[in-house]
Amino acid sequence: MELLAERGDFPLTESWSYLNAANVALIPMCAATVITDWQTDLALNGSNNFDDQAEDTAFDGLRIQAARLFNCRPEDIAGGSSCSELLSSIAWAVMPKKHENVVSTDIVFPGTIYPWSRVSHHTGSEIRLARGHNGYTSIDKVIGAIDKNTAVVSISHAEYTGGQLYDLAALAEVTHAHGALLVVDATQSAGAIPIDAPACGADVIISGSYKWLCGPFGAALMYLAPHLQGNLEPGLVGFRSHKNIWDLSPDRLEYPDTAKRFESSTMAFGCIKGLEKSIEYLVDIGIERIYEHNMKLADRLVEGLNRLDIEIVSPPDRAERTSIVTCRVDGWNPMEVVQELKKRKIVAQKRQEFVRFSPHLYNSEADVDRAIAELRSLLNG
Ligand SMILES: Cc1ncc(COP(=O)(O)O)c(C=O)c1O
């Protein structure tokens, strides 16, 4: 199997089997260097280098790389500090009314729905969560919850527990037929699953940086469909919300007619530049290639776990899967399994009563084989 990444780009992979991208992915050294260099330059030179113009254009490089990632225009991209921040700004911007509802699932990552819950405390809108089980909700249940009063379908493209993947185009079709917006949290998919933002029909796609995009904490990005760029008033605003950030007129706020209107404040700019570099790194390799690579590793994990008779709760159907492979190790406390694996330099994660493996581009078949072999020796005592 071809190695997609140079070992030196991810030094930890020389000695550890790091199967934990769904929690925190490794950052390629080229991106880590961009972040520390930016911070060091600020310490040494202050605004001599990071001047007004540099501050104004700080997100432009991210826009270019994220446009390659999502097959959209740079103007369709906004940067921010976290998925929760950008989603909160969207939730307050849309602000579903009292008689309206927001549809999601009851296995969704809490951060994907809490911003809508907060708005619903204010307006009295209804939050409708389609029932799931073992980290899985059938898309039919989500679609079944949508009705004429639905204002928003807010979904995690890939569910964080078992990696279930939703068909965005299918959801967009039904959502739009009801006059609602499809708002997608792609934190568990962007960087690992090809996403064509305009083609899939989503109105908003938001992703954090530190998982499959292999970026740092403190950065996030958002795709905003063109039809929302001229009329959606951001829920969070600050001096960068003005279309000319150096206009500095406290008596007027004119938003840009692009996704940029959702950028509101200064932030850890070095982190945005690190995210820009990570996305460039991934897109240069090719998201389609990364997807195929990761799925081969996931298939190998599934085969290995099946041989050990360990119950897998991630969906079996390829169209509904990501490279997240989640299992229940009968008779074992999942935390104990994760800790024992860590002693053997294998990193997985406990989520609810499960053990979750999440291989990414820097992993190889050897990492999967080691994980399976160590699990076998653990179970055999
Ligand atoms: C689906 C999903 N969205 C968002 C996040 C994190 O959000 P934030 O960027 O606000 O930390 C996670 C983290 O586990 C996640 O799984």
Side-chain angles (χ1 to χ4, degrees), residues 1 15 30 39 69 109 134 144 158 185 247 259 264 298 340 369:
M1 182 186 198
S15 45
C30 58
Q39 207 60 59
L69 177 74
F109 183 71
N134 274 353
D185 179 345
D247 179 83
S264 57
E340 286 299 324
D369 295 348

Side-chain angles (χ1 to χ4, degrees), residues 158-180:
E159 297 281 13
Y160 75 109
T161 302
Q164 178 195 353
L165 191 69
Y166 294 98
D167 178 343
L168 296 183
L171 279 178
E173 196 182 326
V174 184
T175 303
H176 293 159
H178 288 81

Side-chain angles (χ1 to χ4, degrees), residues 189-251:
S189 59
I193 308 287
I195 297 175
D196 185 322
C200 77
D203 300 285
V204 180
I205 302 176
I206 301 175
S207 177
S209 153
Y210 56 89
K211 297 184 191 287
W212 304 89
L213 287 176
C214 299
F217 287 107
L221 58 86
M222 175 167 79
Y223 160 84
L224 187 69
H227 73 99
L228 295 173
Q229 292 172 14
N231 52 25
L232 205 55
E233 182 163 20
L236 304 180
V237 296
F239 91 98
R240 284 185 75 98
S241 305
H242 197 287
K243 66 181 176 195
N244 171 8
I245 67 166
W246 297 125
D247 179 83
L248 299 176
S249 308
D251 59 343

Side-chain angles (χ1 to χ4, degrees), residues 22-23 81-85 108-112 156-161 185-188 206-211 217 219-220 351 356:
N23 177 25
S81 297
S82 73
C83 179
S84 303
E85 176 203 63
V108 77
F109 183 71
T112 312
S156 180
H157 187 197
E159 297 281 13
Y160 75 109
T161 302
D185 179 345
T187 303
Q188 290 291 3
I206 301 175
S207 177
S209 153
Y210 56 89
K211 297 184 191 287
F217 287 107
R351 278 295 172 263
R356 181 182 70 183

Side-chain angles (χ1 to χ4, degrees), residues 262-281:
F262 277 83
E263 290 164 9
S264 57
S265 69
T266 60
M267 59 167 292
F269 291 112
C271 293
I272 273 289
K273 291 179 182 301
L275 173 59
E276 170 192 332
K277 189 71 191 170
S278 296
I279 296 175
E280 182 182 8
Y281 180 92

